[in-house]
Amino acid sequence: MTDREDDNEPLFPAREWTPEELSTEFKGLLAELQWTAVELADRMMSLGDYREYKTILRSVHRVLEGQVKPSGEMMALLNQMVRVKRRLARTYGNTEWTKLPDGSETAKVEGFTITLLPKSRKRWKVHMTHESGYSPEWPRWQDDLEAAKATALLTLDTGQNTLFEFEEEEARKRANPRRAIDLD
């Protein structure tokens, strides 16, 4: 055992944040993600937050209004989502989008066909379907094309993870088929 293991001190000591700094950081992370409180609540639900949706949304609004500090978990989630967004931008940022006659834009990425559809008030809808027929849940309308492209990449990541988890589960089922009668 090293001295470091004995004293259990973190390699990078925790920073002391003021409530104002936390609020500014929280709002900055949401802005970088181009998310509203509703989109953050949606994401938290999709990742397993077990609370009622209205409770999640209320907690996000209270943070945005400065009534409470964001929880460490909420800050960790936002920081992680920013990292995911940046990684996806590095990986798929050079995706070639084709403009279609109806004004929509489309691209094929990792077996997914992504279509960004222009809607009223310059908003965009993200549609995505995998070549297997699977379609991840479509996100909320986005305020501009760049936000739609960023959201499409996050949806792509979610879709890839869902397909991977499904394939793993199917492989487990094939490896351990259930018997109608347990003979053991």
Side-chain angles (χ1 to χ4, degrees), residues 95-96 106-114 129-131:
T95 297
E96 191 171 315
T106 189
K108 187 128 173 117
V109 181
E110 304 284 344
F112 283 88
T113 299
I114 306 168
T129 307
H130 188 258
E131 56 198 18

Side-chain angles (χ1 to χ4, degrees), residues 59-183:
S59 69
V60 173
H61 279 295
R62 290 183 71 205
V63 168
L64 288 171
E65 293 166 2
Q67 295 176 4
V68 296
K69 294 190 311 186
S71 67
E73 294 90 345
M74 199 177 291
M75 292 299 292
L77 171 65
L78 283 175
N79 276 297
Q80 187 62 33
M81 292 311 305
V82 165
R83 288 178 175 172
V84 168
K85 180 181 176 180
R86 290 174 183 166
R87 177 184 52 80
L88 292 169
R90 283 191 309 272
T91 305
Y92 301 111
N94 293 327
T95 297
E96 191 171 315
W97 294 89
T98 304
K99 191 165 184 96
L100 301 176
D102 66 356
S104 62
E105 297 203 17
T106 189
K108 187 128 173 117
V109 181
E110 304 284 344
F112 283 88
T113 299
I114 306 168
T115 305
L116 308 176
L117 301 162
K119 295 294 182 183
S120 63
R121 293 183 270 170
K122 300 181 182 178
R123 295 181 299 171
W124 291 81
K125 185 73 177 166
V126 177
H127 288 216
M128 187 175 305
T129 307
H130 188 258
E131 56 198 18
S132 68
Y134 164 73
S135 179
E137 185 175 320
W138 295 344
R140 296 179 185 273
W141 291 18
Q142 299 301 303
D143 289 334
D144 58 56
L145 181 59
E146 290 310 308
K149 287 180 179 179
T151 299
L153 295 181
L154 284 171
T155 305
L156 170 69
D157 188 61
T158 300
Q160 289 172 317
N161 287 328
T162 301
L163 281 175
F164 179 72
E165 290 163 3
F166 175 77
E167 290 167 2
E168 279 187 324
E169 181 62 27
E170 290 299 306
R172 266 194 299 278
K173 286 178 184 176
R174 285 189 302 274
N176 299 309
R178 294 181 62 182
R179 297 181 189 173
I181 300 174
D182 189 1
L183 301 176

Side-chain angles (χ1 to χ4, degrees), residues 13-25:
R15 177 177 169 213
E16 292 295 323
W17 293 79
T18 67
E20 295 79 19
E21 288 173 326
L22 278 171
S23 178
T24 300
E25 181 71 9

Side-chain angles (χ1 to χ4, degrees), residues 1-14:
M1 233 184 213
T2 67
D3 290 339
R4 179 148 261 342
E5 292 169 339
D6 287 336
D7 61 25
N8 205 20
E9 288 290 319
L11 184 59
F12 300 104

